[in-house]
Amino acid sequence: MTAGAFPRAQCSIAGAATWGVGEAPGHSAMEIAMRSAMGALDDAGLSVGDVDAVFGCLPGDLFAGLSFAEYLGIYPRFTDNNRTGGSSFISHLITACHGIAAGSFETALIAYGSNQRTGGGRLSTPAGWNEWDAMSDGLFPVSGYALAAARHMHEYGTTRTHLAEVAVSARKWAAGNPEAFVRDPLTIEDCLNARTISSPLGKFDCCLVTDGGAAIVVTSTERARDLRAAPVPVLGAAAATWYNSVSQSGDLTTTAAAESGPRAYRCAGIGLADVDVVQLYDAFTINTILFLEDLGFCPKGEGGAFVADGAIAPGGRLAVNTNGGGLSFGHPGMYGLFTLIEGVRQIRGEAANPLADVDIALAHANGGTLSSQATAILGSLATI
């Protein structure tokens, strides 16, 4: 296998589940993650004893991979809790696929859980976590994204109405999803009149603060064919990290998705025209615009115009964040794993807002302050 090659379709997501999205009072982050994990294993028709590789993150546990294994009562061959923010889980998927293809282990569990809402978490905290960003005395992470939004507006004429289009589209998808935490109507005017959080981003430009967990089970596609649920092959995936502190970014309007996306397409052997549905990490409305540009769905600077007039809402030209995304479905601190699960559900025809004939889903996750990006291409069995 050449350097950078991905084992196309050799591995599949065989099980997927979410649990406790919104509010799960009285449950720890570990409990939420493990309820999700058990749901994913049940979805696949497997048991805890079948798992021999454990991946995942917990908000307050630096050794979550070890903690997961201990909590499950297993002795895995491999554990990993590499943390790149919300992009961590697609990075875990990449590692899992390589490990399974190489024969290092057979069945990987990737899990996450957070009780940040009922546990008293907040969206924004002082930027003292990073010495360079701390100098600005901004709010982490919202001020970093606000910088990107302001720069995009300055360079390309993007407007707050364009940002509002993203939030309203997400809400329209959420309205059809019983699992979404917020489903009440939202208008462009609501967004424009909302209180400012970090200029130019207002309340509805920012993701929710919720509890919630998610988990997937990954194994070889050959084995997955014999399991309970329809396997979803991983056609390709790639990650890229350009910096940690947003103050060290070379260009606030371009993210490492411009690298991870094209590499993932090459791994999968597909073009943009082949993608049926897109799941993006929309921690803030500017994310969706930046990622649509960087992933190639529209030229740089044209993301605002691309999302206008309901283009990414139900019935629009491109189905984006069909569960409601981090803006309306739920955002328990790290959202990346949920992009994969909604992609799986769309391909299987199990999504709350099912689209017709979905064979290829793109899932893209973001970490830090636009710092780390990871892209996965999922397919149906018809694509291999």
Side-chain angles (χ1 to χ4, degrees):
M1 187 178 296
T2 59
F6 186 85
R8 184 188 189 277
Q10 291 183 39
C11 299
S12 286
I13 297 174
T18 57
W19 192 85
V21 176
E23 293 181 337
H27 293 277
S28 68
M30 175 64 81
E31 289 170 341
I32 294 170
M34 287 303 101
R35 284 179 179 266
S36 302
M38 298 309 294
L41 287 166
D42 182 68
D43 185 46
L46 295 173
S47 67
V48 167
D50 294 306
V51 176
D52 58 356
V54 176
F55 299 78
C57 300
L58 287 174
D61 188 346
L62 295 177
F63 301 103
L66 307 183
S67 301
F68 283 152
E70 179 181 74
Y71 201 87
L72 288 165
I74 62 173
Y75 303 93
R77 298 179 184 179
F78 188 83
T79 62
D80 185 5
N81 60 288
N82 172 41
R83 299 176 73 102
T84 57
S87 61
S88 299
F89 309 98
I90 293 181
S91 292
H92 293 159
L93 177 65
I94 294 169
T95 303
C97 288
H98 280 292
I100 291 166
S104 299
F105 43 85
E106 294 182 350
T107 304
L109 173 68
I110 305 174
Y112 174 72
S114 169
N115 64 346
Q116 70 166 11
R117 183 177 182 87
T118 57
R122 297 186 302 163
L123 174 64
S124 295
T125 55
W129 70 284
N130 183 292
E131 62 179 309
W132 310 115
D133 288 349
M135 296 177 187
S136 68
D137 196 30
L139 296 174
F140 174 79
V142 62
S143 293
Y145 291 88
L147 280 173
R151 189 65 192 180
H152 204 275
M153 290 176 167
H154 173 75
E155 289 197 23
Y156 302 114
T158 306
T159 67
R160 289 194 63 226
T161 298
H162 289 143
L163 298 178
E165 289 274 7
V166 174
V168 170
S169 296
R171 186 63 59 86
K172 288 180 177 179
W173 285 112
N177 183 1
E179 192 182 10
F181 186 54
V182 180
R183 302 190 296 275
D184 53 305
L186 181 69
T187 67
I188 298 293
E189 291 71 26
D190 292 333
C191 297
L192 297 180
N193 294 329
R195 66 186 176 92
T196 300
I197 304 299
S198 185
S199 181
L201 301 181
K203 173 184 176 181
F204 296 111
D205 293 304
C206 302
C207 63
L208 303 175
V209 177
T210 70
D211 299 339
I216 59 174
V217 177
V218 185
T219 190
S220 70
T221 299
E222 180 181 9
R223 183 176 182 223
R225 289 177 183 269
D226 297 325
L227 299 179
R228 178 178 294 161
V232 176
V234 184
L235 303 181
T241 299
W242 286 359
Y243 55 85
N244 180 15
S245 166
V246 71
S247 62
Q248 305 304 304
S249 65
D251 178 358
L252 282 166
T253 68
T254 301
T255 75
E259 178 185 339
S260 67
R263 284 201 281 115
Y265 305 149
R266 289 195 296 272
C267 292
I270 67 152
L272 285 175
D274 298 312
V275 176
D276 298 309
V277 65
V278 177
Q279 312 298 338
L280 303 176
Y281 194 136
D282 57 340
F284 302 91
T285 51
I286 188 61
N287 292 35
T288 300
I289 289 173
L290 292 176
F291 299 153
L292 287 170
E293 293 174 350
D294 293 342
L295 292 169
F297 290 98
C298 62
K300 176 55 63 180
E302 296 184 14
F306 185 86
V307 303
D309 301 319
I312 61 173
R317 77 165 70 95
L318 181 67
V320 176
N321 292 346
T322 52
N323 62 350
L327 293 168
S328 286
F329 168 75
H331 191 283
M334 294 182 182
Y335 180 75
L337 195 45
F338 294 89
T339 67
L340 291 168
I341 291 176
E342 181 65 8
V344 167
R345 288 173 172 172
Q346 285 290 352
I347 288 171
R348 288 182 179 174
E350 298 172 352
N353 297 303
L355 304 175
D357 303 320
V358 174
D359 282 315
I360 294 182
L362 182 151
H364 181 80
N366 162 75
T369 44
L370 298 170
S371 315
S372 172
Q373 308 297 325
T375 311
I377 310 296
L378 307 179
S380 67
L381 288 175
T383 63
I384 63 175

mmCIF file of all heavy atoms in Angstrom, residues 202-251:
data_model
loop_
_atom_site.group_PDB
_atom_site.id
_atom_site.type_symbol
_atom_site.label_atom_id
_atom_site.label_comp_id
_atom_site.label_asym_id
_atom_site.label_seq_id
_atom_site.Cartn_x
_atom_site.Cartn_y
_atom_site.Cartn_z
ATOM 1 N N GLY A 202 -24.386 36.108 15.967
ATOM 2 C CA GLY A 202 -25.441 36.246 16.954
ATOM 3 C C GLY A 202 -25.840 34.906 17.536
ATOM 4 O O GLY A 202 -25.252 33.857 17.219
ATOM 5 N N LYS A 203 -26.863 34.921 18.359
ATOM 6 C CA LYS A 203 -27.303 33.721 19.067
ATOM 7 C C LYS A 203 -27.556 32.545 18.130
ATOM 8 O O LYS A 203 -27.126 31.418 18.396
ATOM 9 C CB LYS A 203 -28.577 34.040 19.847
ATOM 10 C CG LYS A 203 -29.229 32.840 20.496
ATOM 11 C CD LYS A 203 -30.544 33.204 21.165
ATOM 12 C CE LYS A 203 -31.250 31.965 21.723
ATOM 13 N NZ LYS A 203 -32.547 32.331 22.357
ATOM 14 N N PHE A 204 -28.245 32.779 17.017
ATOM 15 C CA PHE A 204 -28.621 31.671 16.146
ATOM 16 C C PHE A 204 -27.529 31.288 15.163
ATOM 17 O O PHE A 204 -27.681 30.332 14.400
ATOM 18 C CB PHE A 204 -29.922 32.009 15.411
ATOM 19 C CG PHE A 204 -31.097 32.166 16.333
ATOM 20 C CD1 PHE A 204 -31.678 33.414 16.534
ATOM 21 C CD2 PHE A 204 -31.599 31.077 17.029
ATOM 22 C CE1 PHE A 204 -32.755 33.565 17.387
ATOM 23 C CE2 PHE A 204 -32.675 31.218 17.893
ATOM 24 C CZ PHE A 204 -33.253 32.464 18.081
ATOM 25 N N ASP A 205 -26.414 32.023 15.186
ATOM 26 C CA ASP A 205 -25.229 31.621 14.427
ATOM 27 C C ASP A 205 -24.389 30.612 15.186
ATOM 28 O O ASP A 205 -23.413 30.091 14.636
ATOM 29 C CB ASP A 205 -24.348 32.849 14.118
ATOM 30 C CG ASP A 205 -25.005 33.813 13.163
ATOM 31 O OD1 ASP A 205 -25.390 33.382 12.066
ATOM 32 O OD2 ASP A 205 -25.149 35.003 13.534
ATOM 33 N N CYS A 206 -24.748 30.348 16.433
ATOM 34 C CA CYS A 206 -23.958 29.492 17.315
ATOM 35 C C CYS A 206 -24.682 28.169 17.564
ATOM 36 O O CYS A 206 -25.908 28.133 17.682
ATOM 37 C CB CYS A 206 -23.711 30.180 18.650
ATOM 38 S SG CYS A 206 -22.878 31.775 18.510
ATOM 39 N N CYS A 207 -23.916 27.112 17.680
ATOM 40 C CA CYS A 207 -24.489 25.791 17.911
ATOM 41 C C CYS A 207 -25.178 25.727 19.271
ATOM 42 O O CYS A 207 -24.967 26.557 20.152
ATOM 43 C CB CYS A 207 -23.411 24.722 17.825
ATOM 44 S SG CYS A 207 -22.114 24.878 19.074
ATOM 45 N N LEU A 208 -25.997 24.699 19.418
ATOM 46 C CA LEU A 208 -26.661 24.435 20.686
ATOM 47 C C LEU A 208 -25.655 23.963 21.724
ATOM 48 O O LEU A 208 -24.536 23.559 21.396
ATOM 49 C CB LEU A 208 -27.732 23.356 20.490
ATOM 50 C CG LEU A 208 -28.809 23.634 19.449
ATOM 51 C CD1 LEU A 208 -29.694 22.414 19.296
ATOM 52 C CD2 LEU A 208 -29.628 24.852 19.830
ATOM 53 N N VAL A 209 -26.060 23.988 22.962
ATOM 54 C CA VAL A 209 -25.306 23.367 24.057
ATOM 55 C C VAL A 209 -26.201 22.274 24.611
ATOM 56 O O VAL A 209 -27.198 22.550 25.277
ATOM 57 C CB VAL A 209 -24.932 24.390 25.148
ATOM 58 C CG1 VAL A 209 -24.207 23.686 26.295
ATOM 59 C CG2 VAL A 209 -24.063 25.498 24.573
ATOM 60 N N THR A 210 -25.884 21.018 24.304
ATOM 61 C CA THR A 210 -26.744 19.900 24.687
ATOM 62 C C THR A 210 -25.938 18.772 25.306
ATOM 63 O O THR A 210 -24.710 18.747 25.241
ATOM 64 C CB THR A 210 -27.500 19.329 23.469
ATOM 65 O OG1 THR A 210 -26.564 18.661 22.609
ATOM 66 C CG2 THR A 210 -28.232 20.416 22.699
ATOM 67 N N ASP A 211 -26.658 17.831 25.879
ATOM 68 C CA ASP A 211 -26.104 16.529 26.207
ATOM 69 C C ASP A 211 -26.182 15.663 24.952
ATOM 70 O O ASP A 211 -26.821 16.038 23.960
ATOM 71 C CB ASP A 211 -26.916 15.844 27.304
ATOM 72 C CG ASP A 211 -26.936 16.615 28.615
ATOM 73 O OD1 ASP A 211 -26.030 17.457 28.832
ATOM 74 O OD2 ASP A 211 -27.864 16.378 29.418
ATOM 75 N N GLY A 212 -25.584 14.494 25.022
ATOM 76 C CA GLY A 212 -25.767 13.545 23.938
ATOM 77 C C GLY A 212 -24.577 12.636 23.739
ATOM 78 O O GLY A 212 -23.440 12.973 24.095
ATOM 79 N N GLY A 213 -24.863 11.471 23.180
ATOM 80 C CA GLY A 213 -23.818 10.509 22.875
ATOM 81 C C GLY A 213 -24.027 9.895 21.513
ATOM 82 O O GLY A 213 -25.125 9.936 20.949
ATOM 83 N N ALA A 214 -22.947 9.332 20.971
ATOM 84 C CA ALA A 214 -22.994 8.681 19.666
ATOM 85 C C ALA A 214 -21.937 7.594 19.632
ATOM 86 O O ALA A 214 -20.913 7.687 20.329
ATOM 87 C CB ALA A 214 -22.748 9.696 18.548
ATOM 88 N N ALA A 215 -22.187 6.570 18.831
ATOM 89 C CA ALA A 215 -21.217 5.490 18.698
ATOM 90 C C ALA A 215 -21.414 4.777 17.376
ATOM 91 O O ALA A 215 -22.534 4.704 16.848
ATOM 92 C CB ALA A 215 -21.355 4.487 19.847
ATOM 93 N N ILE A 216 -20.315 4.273 16.839
ATOM 94 C CA ILE A 216 -20.364 3.427 15.650
ATOM 95 C C ILE A 216 -19.501 2.194 15.877
ATOM 96 O O ILE A 216 -18.559 2.210 16.679
ATOM 97 C CB ILE A 216 -19.906 4.156 14.371
ATOM 98 C CG1 ILE A 216 -18.464 4.666 14.512
ATOM 99 C CG2 ILE A 216 -20.851 5.295 14.028
ATOM 100 C CD1 ILE A 216 -17.902 5.281 13.224
ATOM 101 N N VAL A 217 -19.827 1.141 15.162
ATOM 102 C CA VAL A 217 -19.045 -0.099 15.161
ATOM 103 C C VAL A 217 -18.490 -0.287 13.763
ATOM 104 O O VAL A 217 -19.232 -0.194 12.772
ATOM 105 C CB VAL A 217 -19.911 -1.305 15.549
ATOM 106 C CG1 VAL A 217 -19.099 -2.599 15.464
ATOM 107 C CG2 VAL A 217 -20.471 -1.132 16.953
ATOM 108 N N VAL A 218 -17.185 -0.523 13.671
ATOM 109 C CA VAL A 218 -16.515 -0.678 12.384
ATOM 110 C C VAL A 218 -15.875 -2.060 12.318
ATOM 111 O O VAL A 218 -15.211 -2.494 13.267
ATOM 112 C CB VAL A 218 -15.440 0.411 12.185
ATOM 113 C CG1 VAL A 218 -14.836 0.323 10.782
ATOM 114 C CG2 VAL A 218 -16.021 1.800 12.422
ATOM 115 N N THR A 219 -16.081 -2.750 11.220
ATOM 116 C CA THR A 219 -15.455 -4.051 11.001
ATOM 117 C C THR A 219 -15.223 -4.219 9.513
ATOM 118 O O THR A 219 -15.506 -3.316 8.715
ATOM 119 C CB THR A 219 -16.328 -5.188 11.580
ATOM 120 O OG1 THR A 219 -15.592 -6.408 11.573
ATOM 121 C CG2 THR A 219 -17.616 -5.355 10.798
ATOM 122 N N SER A 220 -14.686 -5.371 9.097
ATOM 123 C CA SER A 220 -14.449 -5.575 7.674
ATOM 124 C C SER A 220 -15.787 -5.645 6.940
ATOM 125 O O SER A 220 -16.792 -6.119 7.481
ATOM 126 C CB SER A 220 -13.654 -6.855 7.438
ATOM 127 O OG SER A 220 -14.449 -7.997 7.727
ATOM 128 N N THR A 221 -15.792 -5.177 5.719
ATOM 129 C CA THR A 221 -17.019 -5.218 4.928
ATOM 130 C C THR A 221 -17.471 -6.655 4.712
ATOM 131 O O THR A 221 -18.674 -6.954 4.743
ATOM 132 C CB THR A 221 -16.799 -4.508 3.578
ATOM 133 O OG1 THR A 221 -16.454 -3.140 3.836
ATOM 134 C CG2 THR A 221 -18.026 -4.570 2.700
ATOM 135 N N GLU A 222 -16.518 -7.557 4.522
ATOM 136 C CA GLU A 222 -16.860 -8.970 4.345
ATOM 137 C C GLU A 222 -17.626 -9.497 5.558
ATOM 138 O O GLU A 222 -18.649 -10.179 5.416
ATOM 139 C CB GLU A 222 -15.583 -9.777 4.122
ATOM 140 C CG GLU A 222 -15.830 -11.267 3.932
ATOM 141 C CD GLU A 222 -14.537 -12.044 3.733
ATOM 142 O OE1 GLU A 222 -13.446 -11.447 3.912
ATOM 143 O OE2 GLU A 222 -14.616 -13.239 3.410
ATOM 144 N N ARG A 223 -17.145 -9.172 6.733
ATOM 145 C CA ARG A 223 -17.824 -9.627 7.947
ATOM 146 C C ARG A 223 -19.148 -8.894 8.143
ATOM 147 O O ARG A 223 -20.145 -9.479 8.567
ATOM 148 C CB ARG A 223 -16.917 -9.394 9.154
ATOM 149 C CG ARG A 223 -17.492 -9.909 10.464
ATOM 150 C CD ARG A 223 -16.498 -9.719 11.584
ATOM 151 N NE ARG A 223 -17.015 -10.245 12.841
ATOM 152 C CZ ARG A 223 -16.905 -9.644 14.013
ATOM 153 N NH1 ARG A 223 -16.305 -8.473 14.081
ATOM 154 N NH2 ARG A 223 -17.377 -10.201 15.098
ATOM 155 N N ALA A 224 -19.156 -7.610 7.844
ATOM 156 C CA ALA A 224 -20.349 -6.801 8.064
ATOM 157 C C ALA A 224 -21.538 -7.281 7.228
ATOM 158 O O ALA A 224 -22.693 -7.110 7.625
ATOM 159 C CB ALA A 224 -20.049 -5.339 7.743
ATOM 160 N N ARG A 225 -21.270 -7.886 6.084
ATOM 161 C CA ARG A 225 -22.349 -8.400 5.245
ATOM 162 C C ARG A 225 -23.198 -9.441 5.973
ATOM 163 O O ARG A 225 -24.376 -9.644 5.623
ATOM 164 C CB ARG A 225 -21.774 -9.015 3.972
ATOM 165 C CG ARG A 225 -21.201 -8.009 2.972
ATOM 166 C CD ARG A 225 -20.593 -8.750 1.795
ATOM 167 N NE ARG A 225 -19.954 -7.866 0.835
ATOM 168 C CZ ARG A 225 -20.552 -7.330 -0.225
ATOM 169 N NH1 ARG A 225 -21.839 -7.582 -0.435
ATOM 170 N NH2 ARG A 225 -19.903 -6.547 -1.065
ATOM 171 N N ASP A 226 -22.612 -10.110 6.956
ATOM 172 C CA ASP A 226 -23.314 -11.181 7.670
ATOM 173 C C ASP A 226 -23.934 -10.715 8.976
ATOM 174 O O ASP A 226 -24.503 -11.520 9.716
ATOM 175 C CB ASP A 226 -22.354 -12.338 7.959
ATOM 176 C CG ASP A 226 -21.827 -12.999 6.684
ATOM 177 O OD1 ASP A 226 -22.596 -13.071 5.703
ATOM 178 O OD2 ASP A 226 -20.660 -13.411 6.679
ATOM 179 N N LEU A 227 -23.826 -9.423 9.272
ATOM 180 C CA LEU A 227 -24.352 -8.905 10.524
ATOM 181 C C LEU A 227 -25.782 -8.389 10.339
ATOM 182 O O LEU A 227 -26.360 -8.455 9.271
ATOM 183 C CB LEU A 227 -23.424 -7.828 11.070
ATOM 184 C CG LEU A 227 -22.003 -8.304 11.385
ATOM 185 C CD1 LEU A 227 -21.153 -7.161 11.908
ATOM 186 C CD2 LEU A 227 -22.015 -9.468 12.384
ATOM 187 N N ARG A 228 -26.342 -7.852 11.418
ATOM 188 C CA ARG A 228 -27.768 -7.528 11.453
ATOM 189 C C ARG A 228 -28.163 -6.378 10.530
ATOM 190 O O ARG A 228 -29.150 -6.456 9.804
ATOM 191 C CB ARG A 228 -28.166 -7.204 12.893
ATOM 192 C CG ARG A 228 -29.622 -6.804 13.065
ATOM 193 C CD ARG A 228 -29.924 -6.561 14.527
ATOM 194 N NE ARG A 228 -29.822 -7.812 15.299
ATOM 195 C CZ ARG A 228 -29.683 -7.865 16.610
ATOM 196 N NH1 ARG A 228 -29.597 -6.740 17.316
ATOM 197 N NH2 ARG A 228 -29.604 -9.033 17.229
ATOM 198 N N ALA A 229 -27.401 -5.295 10.575
ATOM 199 C CA ALA A 229 -27.768 -4.088 9.836
ATOM 200 C C ALA A 229 -27.056 -4.032 8.488
ATOM 201 O O ALA A 229 -26.020 -4.673 8.286
ATOM 202 C CB ALA A 229 -27.432 -2.846 10.650
ATOM 203 N N ALA A 230 -27.604 -3.257 7.588
ATOM 204 C CA ALA A 230 -26.962 -3.073 6.286
ATOM 205 C C ALA A 230 -25.619 -2.377 6.464
ATOM 206 O O ALA A 230 -25.548 -1.307 7.078
ATOM 207 C CB ALA A 230 -27.860 -2.238 5.376
ATOM 208 N N PRO A 231 -24.534 -2.965 5.959
ATOM 209 C CA PRO A 231 -23.221 -2.324 6.114
ATOM 210 C C PRO A 231 -23.105 -1.069 5.266
ATOM 211 O O PRO A 231 -23.692 -0.974 4.188
ATOM 212 C CB PRO A 231 -22.240 -3.406 5.644
ATOM 213 C CG PRO A 231 -23.040 -4.287 4.745
ATOM 214 C CD PRO A 231 -24.453 -4.248 5.244
ATOM 215 N N VAL A 232 -22.353 -0.110 5.777
ATOM 216 C CA VAL A 232 -22.080 1.127 5.044
ATOM 217 C C VAL A 232 -20.569 1.212 4.847
ATOM 218 O O VAL A 232 -19.827 1.591 5.762
ATOM 219 C CB VAL A 232 -22.613 2.351 5.807
ATOM 220 C CG1 VAL A 232 -22.234 3.635 5.077
ATOM 221 C CG2 VAL A 232 -24.132 2.252 5.963
ATOM 222 N N PRO A 233 -20.077 0.830 3.663
ATOM 223 C CA PRO A 233 -18.632 0.848 3.424
ATOM 224 C C PRO A 233 -18.034 2.252 3.532
ATOM 225 O O PRO A 233 -18.658 3.240 3.138
ATOM 226 C CB PRO A 233 -18.515 0.311 2.001
ATOM 227 C CG PRO A 233 -19.775 -0.455 1.762
ATOM 228 C CD PRO A 233 -20.830 0.266 2.536
ATOM 229 N N VAL A 234 -16.832 2.297 4.067
ATOM 230 C CA VAL A 234 -16.072 3.540 4.122
ATOM 231 C C VAL A 234 -15.229 3.594 2.856
ATOM 232 O O VAL A 234 -14.239 2.877 2.715
ATOM 233 C CB VAL A 234 -15.185 3.601 5.381
ATOM 234 C CG1 VAL A 234 -14.475 4.946 5.461
ATOM 235 C CG2 VAL A 234 -16.015 3.353 6.633
ATOM 236 N N LEU A 235 -15.632 4.432 1.916
ATOM 237 C CA LEU A 235 -14.976 4.481 0.617
ATOM 238 C C LEU A 235 -13.656 5.237 0.659
ATOM 239 O O LEU A 235 -12.718 4.913 -0.080
ATOM 240 C CB LEU A 235 -15.903 5.130 -0.416
ATOM 241 C CG LEU A 235 -17.272 4.471 -0.606
ATOM 242 C CD1 LEU A 235 -18.058 5.209 -1.685
ATOM 243 C CD2 LEU A 235 -17.134 3.000 -0.947
ATOM 244 N N GLY A 236 -13.583 6.234 1.507
ATOM 245 C CA GLY A 236 -12.364 7.025 1.617
ATOM 246 C C GLY A 236 -12.457 7.984 2.778
ATOM 247 O O GLY A 236 -13.561 8.324 3.222
ATOM 248 N N ALA A 237 -11.324 8.411 3.278
ATOM 249 C CA ALA A 237 -11.294 9.376 4.375
ATOM 250 C C ALA A 237 -9.907 9.993 4.461
ATOM 251 O O ALA A 237 -8.908 9.350 4.121
ATOM 252 C CB ALA A 237 -11.661 8.717 5.702
ATOM 253 N N ALA A 238 -9.866 11.231 4.914
ATOM 254 C CA ALA A 238 -8.586 11.927 5.062
ATOM 255 C C ALA A 238 -8.740 13.037 6.091
ATOM 256 O O ALA A 238 -9.829 13.574 6.286
ATOM 257 C CB ALA A 238 -8.131 12.506 3.730
ATOM 258 N N ALA A 239 -7.642 13.374 6.740
ATOM 259 C CA ALA A 239 -7.621 14.449 7.743
ATOM 260 C C ALA A 239 -6.464 15.391 7.443
ATOM 261 O O ALA A 239 -5.478 15.014 6.805
ATOM 262 C CB ALA A 239 -7.492 13.877 9.144
ATOM 263 N N ALA A 240 -6.590 16.625 7.917
ATOM 264 C CA ALA A 240 -5.529 17.617 7.747
ATOM 265 C C ALA A 240 -5.605 18.627 8.876
ATOM 266 O O ALA A 240 -6.702 19.072 9.244
ATOM 267 C CB ALA A 240 -5.647 18.324 6.404
ATOM 268 N N THR A 241 -4.469 18.988 9.426
ATOM 269 C CA THR A 241 -4.405 19.981 10.502
ATOM 270 C C THR A 241 -3.383 21.039 10.124
ATOM 271 O O THR A 241 -2.237 20.709 9.812
ATOM 272 C CB THR A 241 -4.012 19.322 11.840
ATOM 273 O OG1 THR A 241 -4.994 18.348 12.196
ATOM 274 C CG2 THR A 241 -3.919 20.369 12.942
ATOM 275 N N TRP A 242 -3.799 22.298 10.154
ATOM 276 C CA TRP A 242 -2.913 23.378 9.735
ATOM 277 C C TRP A 242 -2.399 24.218 10.894
ATOM 278 O O TRP A 242 -1.402 24.924 10.760
ATOM 279 C CB TRP A 242 -3.644 24.278 8.741
ATOM 280 C CG TRP A 242 -3.793 23.660 7.376
ATOM 281 C CD1 TRP A 242 -3.328 22.433 6.971
ATOM 282 C CD2 TRP A 242 -4.437 24.243 6.233
ATOM 283 N NE1 TRP A 242 -3.646 22.219 5.655
ATOM 284 C CE2 TRP A 242 -4.326 23.301 5.170
ATOM 285 C CE3 TRP A 242 -5.096 25.443 6.009
ATOM 286 C CZ2 TRP A 242 -4.846 23.546 3.905
ATOM 287 C CZ3 TRP A 242 -5.625 25.694 4.747
ATOM 288 C CH2 TRP A 242 -5.496 24.753 3.703
ATOM 289 N N TYR A 243 -3.058 24.192 12.038
ATOM 290 C CA TYR A 243 -2.621 24.979 13.187
ATOM 291 C C TYR A 243 -3.474 24.592 14.372
ATOM 292 O O TYR A 243 -4.412 23.786 14.255
ATOM 293 C CB TYR A 243 -2.754 26.491 12.909
ATOM 294 C CG TYR A 243 -4.139 26.926 12.483
ATOM 295 C CD1 TYR A 243 -5.126 27.212 13.429
ATOM 296 C CD2 TYR A 243 -4.476 27.034 11.143
ATOM 297 C CE1 TYR A 243 -6.404 27.586 13.044
ATOM 298 C CE2 TYR A 243 -5.749 27.418 10.748
ATOM 299 C CZ TYR A 243 -6.713 27.688 11.701
ATOM 300 O OH TYR A 243 -7.968 28.043 11.319
ATOM 301 N N ASN A 244 -3.160 25.146 15.521
ATOM 302 C CA ASN A 244 -4.011 24.999 16.705
ATOM 303 C C ASN A 244 -4.685 26.343 16.986
ATOM 304 O O ASN A 244 -5.891 26.495 16.835
ATOM 305 C CB ASN A 244 -3.191 24.537 17.902
ATOM 306 C CG ASN A 244 -4.045 24.365 19.148
ATOM 307 O OD1 ASN A 244 -5.266 24.320 19.074
ATOM 308 N ND2 ASN A 244 -3.404 24.285 20.308
ATOM 309 N N SER A 245 -3.904 27.345 17.330
ATOM 310 C CA SER A 245 -4.436 28.668 17.636
ATOM 311 C C SER A 245 -4.905 29.363 16.374
ATOM 312 O O SER A 245 -4.174 29.429 15.375
ATOM 313 C CB SER A 245 -3.352 29.500 18.318
ATOM 314 O OG SER A 245 -3.711 30.856 18.344
ATOM 315 N N VAL A 246 -6.103 29.918 16.411
ATOM 316 C CA VAL A 246 -6.621 30.613 15.230
ATOM 317 C C VAL A 246 -5.755 31.822 14.877
ATOM 318 O O VAL A 246 -5.692 32.232 13.715
ATOM 319 C CB VAL A 246 -8.098 31.024 15.454
ATOM 320 C CG1 VAL A 246 -8.205 32.159 16.465
ATOM 321 C CG2 VAL A 246 -8.769 31.397 14.144
ATOM 322 N N SER A 247 -5.058 32.361 15.853
ATOM 323 C CA SER A 247 -4.178 33.494 15.571
ATOM 324 C C SER A 247 -2.971 33.095 14.723
ATOM 325 O O SER A 247 -2.266 33.959 14.192
ATOM 326 C CB SER A 247 -3.685 34.127 16.886
ATOM 327 O OG SER A 247 -2.933 33.201 17.639
ATOM 328 N N GLN A 248 -2.743 31.809 14.571
ATOM 329 C CA GLN A 248 -1.632 31.324 13.754
ATOM 330 C C GLN A 248 -2.069 30.871 12.370
ATOM 331 O O GLN A 248 -1.278 30.328 11.603
ATOM 332 C CB GLN A 248 -0.931 30.159 14.474
ATOM 333 C CG GLN A 248 -0.461 30.483 15.879
ATOM 334 C CD GLN A 248 0.455 31.692 15.921
ATOM 335 O OE1 GLN A 248 1.477 31.717 15.235
ATOM 336 N NE2 GLN A 248 0.095 32.694 16.716
ATOM 337 N N SER A 249 -3.328 31.073 12.034
ATOM 338 C CA SER A 249 -3.808 30.679 10.709
ATOM 339 C C SER A 249 -3.264 31.621 9.648
ATOM 340 O O SER A 249 -3.141 32.824 9.865
ATOM 341 C CB SER A 249 -5.336 30.686 10.676
ATOM 342 O OG SER A 249 -5.829 32.000 10.850
ATOM 343 N N GLY A 250 -2.956 31.071 8.486
ATOM 344 C CA GLY A 250 -2.442 31.909 7.423
ATOM 345 C C GLY A 250 -3.534 32.678 6.703
ATOM 346 O O GLY A 250 -3.323 33.788 6.226
ATOM 347 N N ASP A 251 -4.723 32.070 6.612
ATOM 348 C CA ASP A 251 -5.843 32.677 5.901
ATOM 349 C C ASP A 251 -7.114 32.258 6.619
ATOM 350 O O ASP A 251 -7.513 31.093 6.572
ATOM 351 C CB ASP A 251 -5.857 32.201 4.447
ATOM 352 C CG ASP A 251 -7.044 32.751 3.652
ATOM 353 O OD1 ASP A 251 -7.876 33.474 4.236
ATOM 354 O OD2 ASP A 251 -7.129 32.442 2.456
#
